[in-house]
Amino acid sequence: MMVSCCGLITSQKEPVPLKSVEVELEVKDHVATVVSTLNYHNQEDKPLEAVFVFPLPGDAAVCHFSATVGQTEIVAEVKEKQRAREEYDDALSSGQQAFLLEESEQSPDVFSLSVGSLPPGESASIRLEYVTELAVQADEGLRFLLPAVLNPRYQPQGSVGSEGSNVQVTSVPASLVPYTLSFSARVSSPRPVSKVESSSPLDPLQYLNTEQTQATVKLAAGHKFDRDVELLIYYKDAHQPSAVVEAGQASSQPGSLMGDSVVMLSLYPEFPQAVMSSVASSGEFVFLLDRSGSMHGERIKNARDTLLLLLKSLPLGCYFNIYSFGSSFEHIFPKSEDYNQKTMEEALKKVEEMEANLGGTEILEPLKHIYRQPSIPNQPRQLFVFTDGEVGNTKEVINLVKQNSASHRCFSFGIGEGASSALINGLAKEGGGHAQFITGADRMQPKVMQSLRFALQPSVGDVSVKWDLPSGVSVTALSPPIAALFQGQRSLVYAQFTGQSSEASEGCVTVAYSLAGHPSQTQLHFSLKPAEDSGLTVHRLAARTVIRSLEMQVREPGGQEDAGGKKKVVELSVQSGVSSVFTAFIAVNKSNSEAIQGPLLRRTIPTPMMMACMAPMAFCSMRMPVMSCDMAQLPQMSPMIGLAFGQTSCSMDMMDQSDTLESCRPKQPPRDPLLQLVSLQKASGCWLLDPHLAAVLGKTSEEVEKPKPASVKQDVWATILALIWLHGFKMDAQEEWELLAMKAVSWLRAQKASLVTECVEAGNALLGCNVQKDAVGL
């Protein structure tokens, strides 16, 4: 559906009300507090209402919102959403300034900010604060993302956009994003900060003390806020188990969440080496790949290469299937098949032909189809979802995964700028798996292979948390039960302590679980003395955790609109000052109640937008302006104008019709030698001695065959050569080929091959390497 569009873009020279965005980030260990200041100025000769729709991390707890107009600061209050909207409209109609901040009904990572009745020539400064936990990456870095990119979300056909979520999206080229960003970060931790990296240019890291436990870093000047800003923070000796106890708010009722002490536990379970070295040889592996138009180009190529590595790394004895989806979905086999040479070759042939040509992004139907398939006895289901994460029905998708969490684990991968953190993190969290984000020039393969290693780890069951506290102190769990534990990966637990103890000041927590059938546990002793100067950060994160759990329950089938649950969410949201889907921040400036002269203009602010299938663009998101103008007046604009956020599916069809571009794609460039070698490996783990292998090794067939010891079988010799080549030339990519190399070594052991030492020596001489036999694992 095309909608006439106006507001921001009456002409290119029209001033835009948002002038600059300033962001200050404070990171303490693995918790970030973010303060954003948005500066507006109305340069027009009429009063103005500005609407800015923007993304935030999906798990952020928004805890402060205020506006400064002239010399007056107005601090917003959290109120029930409908009441807040009514107050906002009443304030505007009576000539008062008002500011409204609300979360999208469809996805918790999209907010809209309405700045109402800004008089001609007036400036306003909006201050927004949120807290969030930082995710641990494969290389042990902590990832902070400041999302600039709000991709239009694909709304499946027939799904009803909820009230207030029909936000119209129009586009301007990225070079014209009319506001600037300044960004500075302060990092502190009990352990030294070793480095901070970013996809955007940074000024050098400045240490604030000799121990290097505190540092500051700034974004280089002149950054146009036209792409996400990603920071990766690395500590020395990172990831020790810890507990932070935070004192309650003196003004809050004792016994309430905000009045009592709250603890945040960070646990990093270490599993015994004996268990970790045994890789599972069973499981049903289901891969679900997004083939919508926005996956066009490098994204779909990387996804094909990644599926090749995954298929070669699966263990013999497992089952697998590959689904792909867009507006419709396809599967390679009618049901999951036994993994062998024949099924692997058939799957790879189909993967090779996959293009980004299936239209929109409807992920719900393929998920329903996968969950309807009967599970295979003694083959635990592991689901891998690859998407650039642009769907309108995020909460519905996550709910479906949650309902099926007992029967599978879900590993999710967000590809590219603008992948919805709410969707990717939600899938993994509710599916007991692990989430990964692949942005910019990141290679997809190492992250995906790390998740496959997690999937092949023995699954952890029967997780229980037991507290040992002094008498007089009782505990209330605030986090949902732990669904999954992975080797070395952080698990966070929030709990509330009620009461006081006169003598003892130490508590102990034990997390017990069964690992591959063996009872195991992780224990942590901690001080009950509250940490100093932590403010209410831990309380707000704990309140956000409880609010998200309650929201999920309110929305579950059968409890479509559970009034009691909704009331609990509103009460906790108001008490803690943390936003929810049922509440909004409202601020009204009561000092300026002159009646408005003339109609109120609606202006919209562009939020930048990236798409894989075309050059970067900026997108503005708007509620309908008061006045309207003809599309024909906008010849310089992209043809994308009028894409609707949360409207019918046809509004996304243009974006996802880039399959026409796919058909004229140039032929594949020569493949990376590593992928060539991987593609030659058999499902059993061995390689065959043939001209293709010789070519990858950079030799002729004769050169490869000649040094082979006479009594050694050809496939044994070929497999040893492949392993030497991997260890000699591709150690930088070891995490990508480690699992398939382990499979090759297992195959060699099963052959009871003789003369292995002689083969390794001859192979080293042939390839010019110096790889030791035990390094290869033989």
Side-chain angles (χ1 to χ4, degrees):
M1 181 180 85
M2 277 297 185
V3 204
S4 64
C5 141
C6 209
L8 168 80
I9 338 171
T10 44
S11 80
Q12 252 185 333
K13 299 175 200 65
E14 188 93 71
V16 170
L18 182 60
K19 289 293 163 201
S20 63
V21 181
E22 295 157 28
V23 177
E24 291 167 35
L25 165 68
E26 182 162 8
V27 177
K28 287 189 177 172
D29 215 3
H30 60 260
V31 171
T33 302
V34 185
V35 178
S36 293
T37 308
L38 298 98
N39 300 306
Y40 289 85
H41 182 69
N42 181 10
Q43 294 178 338
E44 306 196 22
D45 54 5
K46 293 190 176 67
L48 180 78
E49 180 186 14
V51 181
F52 184 36
V53 175
F54 58 99
L56 286 181
D59 49 4
V62 178
C63 53
H64 174 88
F65 175 57
S66 60
T68 304
V69 181
Q71 300 302 304
T72 313
E73 186 193 23
I74 318 139
V75 177
E77 296 174 67
V78 177
K79 298 194 176 175
E80 192 277 322
K81 189 177 268 186
Q82 195 50 42
R83 190 177 149 203
R85 284 175 178 168
E86 285 165 9
E87 278 190 31
Y88 177 79
D89 290 339
D90 290 350
L92 292 200
S93 55
S94 62
Q96 295 172 331
Q97 282 161 342
F99 306 86
L100 180 73
L101 178 74
E102 52 186 322
E103 182 183 308
S104 154
E105 317 257 328
Q106 294 298 318
S107 186
D109 60 351
V110 178
F111 280 76
S112 75
L113 167 63
S114 305
V115 177
S117 187
L118 205 52
E122 184 81 85
S123 294
S125 172
I126 308 283
R127 184 184 158 100
L128 171 75
E129 187 177 325
Y130 64 87
V131 287
T132 184
E133 301 130 354
L134 301 185
V136 183
Q137 298 300 286
D139 61 359
E140 303 212 316
L142 292 170
R143 177 178 189 259
F144 169 75
L145 186 78
L146 181 68
V149 175
L150 177 59
N151 285 339
R153 301 297 166 95
Y154 187 83
Q155 193 75 13
Q157 282 179 309
S159 71
V160 183
S162 48
E163 181 195 352
S165 69
N166 275 0
V167 181
Q168 183 189 340
V169 177
T170 63
S171 73
V172 297
S175 58
L176 298 180
V177 171
Y179 45 91
T180 55
L181 169 75
S182 68
F183 176 87
S184 62
R186 183 188 171 108
V187 180
S188 60
S189 167
R191 293 171 294 286
V193 181
S194 55
K195 61 178 175 174
V196 177
E197 294 177 348
S198 176
S199 51
S200 308
L202 296 175
D203 289 344
L205 189 68
Q206 304 281 327
Y207 287 107
L208 302 180
N209 59 3
T210 48
E211 300 82 18
Q212 299 192 340
T213 56
Q214 295 181 11
T216 60
V217 69
K218 279 194 174 86
L219 205 55
H223 177 86
K224 277 279 191 191
F225 198 13
D226 57 355
R227 61 186 179 280
D228 293 351
V229 177
E230 182 182 53
L231 274 197
L232 292 166
I233 299 160
Y234 297 86
Y235 299 127
K236 292 194 175 102
D237 314 316
H239 312 330
Q240 307 299 317
S242 65
V244 177
V245 178
E246 187 177 80
Q249 202 173 15
S251 59
S252 294
Q253 187 75 27
S256 69
L257 189 149
M258 297 308 285
D260 282 346
S261 292
V262 168
V263 65
M264 174 173 66
L265 291 179
S266 308
L267 301 169
Y268 295 87
E270 290 296 331
F271 299 157
Q273 191 51 45
V275 177
M276 292 310 299
S277 57
S278 65
V279 171
S281 61
S282 62
E284 179 196 7
F285 295 87
V286 180
F287 305 106
L288 177 58
L289 174 65
D290 185 344
R291 284 173 56 195
S292 62
S294 51
M295 284 286 292
H296 171 75
E298 277 300 299
R299 290 185 187 177
I300 195 73
K301 180 189 170 298
N302 278 333
R304 285 194 298 261
D305 291 347
T306 303
L307 279 172
L308 165 71
L309 276 173
L310 282 167
L311 287 176
K312 295 289 181 173
S313 303
L314 290 179
L316 279 174
C318 75
Y319 285 73
F320 78 107
N321 203 353
I322 300 173
Y323 285 72
S324 53
F325 69 94
S327 304
S328 57
F329 68 90
E330 299 174 357
H331 40 69
I332 287 186
F333 306 115
K335 62 181 196 342
S336 291
E337 288 283 351
D338 182 24
Y339 173 76
N340 55 43
Q341 186 62 28
K342 178 176 169 293
T343 53
M344 183 190 80
E345 279 180 358
E346 192 178 334
L348 281 172
K349 195 159 166 273
K350 291 189 176 162
V351 166
E352 206 46 48
E353 296 162 0
M354 285 183 176
E355 300 292 1
N357 56 3
L358 289 185
T361 311
E362 297 211 18
I363 193 171
L364 201 62
E365 290 310 311
L367 279 174
K368 285 179 180 171
H369 187 272
I370 290 165
Y371 293 140
R372 280 198 297 268
Q373 304 309 304
S375 48
I376 303 165
N378 304 318
Q379 303 283 354
R381 182 172 288 165
Q382 316 270 11
L383 175 62
F384 284 64
V385 179
F386 301 85
T387 177
D388 51 6
E390 300 158 19
V391 297
N393 55 343
T394 303
K395 289 186 175 172
E396 208 180 337
V397 171
I398 291 170
N399 256 330
L400 180 67
V401 173
K402 184 183 181 185
Q403 288 155 30
N404 291 278
S405 58
S407 64
H408 81 306
R409 284 196 288 187
C410 180
F411 296 85
S412 56
F413 305 90
I415 300 167
E417 302 272 2
S420 158
S421 62
L423 177 69
I424 304 305
N425 288 327
L427 288 173
K429 188 175 171 206
E430 297 302 340
H434 186 66
Q436 304 264 23
F437 289 86
I438 297 135
T439 55
D442 284 359
R443 274 179 69 74
M444 193 186 292
Q445 289 84 344
K447 294 190 172 187
V448 175
M449 298 317 286
Q450 185 200 35
S451 289
L452 180 60
R453 278 193 289 279
F454 286 154
L456 290 168
Q457 278 177 21
S459 67
V460 170
D462 306 326
V463 184
S464 64
V465 180
K466 182 169 167 284
W467 298 88
D468 186 7
L469 298 169
S471 63
V473 181
S474 63
V475 65
T476 307
L478 301 175
S479 303
I482 298 173
L485 285 174
F486 296 107
Q487 160 73 19
Q489 284 296 303
R490 184 186 66 206
S491 275
L492 286 175
V493 176
Y494 292 97
Q496 174 182 340
F497 294 152
T498 306
Q500 299 263 300
S501 167
S502 47
E503 70 296 338
S505 63
E506 192 179 81
C508 172
V509 63
T510 307
V511 179
Y513 49 91
S514 98
L515 174 68
H518 305 286
S520 305
Q521 63 177 41
T522 296
Q523 201 167 56
L524 180 65
H525 291 264
F526 59 92
S527 165
L528 287 172
K529 187 170 177 283
E532 289 180 16
D533 72 7
S534 70
L536 288 168
T537 305
V538 174
H539 279 75
R540 285 168 178 152
L541 288 169
R544 194 265 346 259
T545 301
V546 177
I547 285 168
R548 288 281 181 256
S549 298
L550 286 169
E551 284 174 351
M552 292 290 277
Q553 289 164 24
V554 170
R555 288 164 175 275
E556 275 175 4
Q560 228 61 51
E561 197 47 68
D562 167 12
K566 182 177 173 179
K567 185 164 174 269
K568 273 189 201 159
V569 172
V570 172
E571 280 171 5
L572 180 54
S573 178
V574 169
Q575 181 204 343
S576 63
V578 170
S579 70
S580 76
V581 72
F582 301 124
T583 52
F585 280 96
I586 172 75
V588 177
N589 183 4
K590 298 196 164 73
S591 62
N592 66 324
S593 47
E594 297 162 29
I596 291 177
Q597 301 301 309
L600 189 64
L601 290 187
R602 202 48 88 83
R603 286 282 179 265
T604 59
I605 318 298
T607 152
M609 151 90 190
M610 298 288 176
M611 290 189 328
C613 52
M614 50 191 76
M617 301 185 170
F619 266 65
C620 76
S621 308
M622 51 165 74
R623 299 200 294 187
M624 281 304 294
V626 176
M627 54 196 201
S628 69
C629 71
D630 188 349
M631 294 290 281
Q633 290 176 306
L634 306 170
Q636 77 280 19
M637 303 314 298
S638 133
M640 302 289 299
I641 286 173
L643 286 189
F645 174 116
Q647 288 183 336
T648 55
S649 61
C650 60
S651 59
M652 278 297 286
D653 284 350
M654 293 163 60
M655 171 177 164
D656 277 336
Q657 287 311 320
S658 49
D659 46 325
T660 48
L661 298 172
E662 279 292 332
S663 56
C664 54
R665 235 158 47 88
K667 285 319 272 178
Q668 290 293 318
R671 195 178 231 171
D672 163 27
L674 171 61
L675 292 175
Q676 286 182 31
L677 184 79
V678 169
S679 66
L680 296 174
Q681 190 186 27
K682 299 296 174 190
S684 61
C686 74
W687 275 266
L688 300 184
L689 195 60
D690 65 15
H692 298 295
L693 177 66
V696 175
L697 301 177
K699 305 288 176 191
T700 65
S701 296
E702 194 182 356
E703 287 170 329
V704 168
E705 284 167 26
K706 200 171 168 193
K708 179 181 80 68
S711 61
V712 173
K713 284 161 53 185
Q714 288 198 334
D715 49 4
V716 169
W717 171 239
T719 303
I720 290 173
L721 286 180
L723 287 170
I724 291 171
W725 187 87
L726 288 170
H727 284 270
F729 298 107
K730 289 293 172 185
M731 283 306 286
D732 58 334
Q734 185 178 12
E735 53 208 337
E736 299 180 31
W737 52 259
E738 194 172 33
L739 287 171
L740 57 90
M742 282 165 66
K743 192 158 78 161
V745 170
S746 300
W747 178 85
L748 282 168
R749 287 192 184 132
Q751 305 308 302
K752 300 194 168 46
S754 57
L755 303 177
V756 170
T757 307
E758 289 83 341
C759 286
V760 172
E761 283 171 8
N764 274 323
L766 172 69
L767 298 175
C769 297
N770 186 22
V771 175
Q772 302 302 309
K773 186 173 89 168
D774 55 350
V776 176
L778 296 170

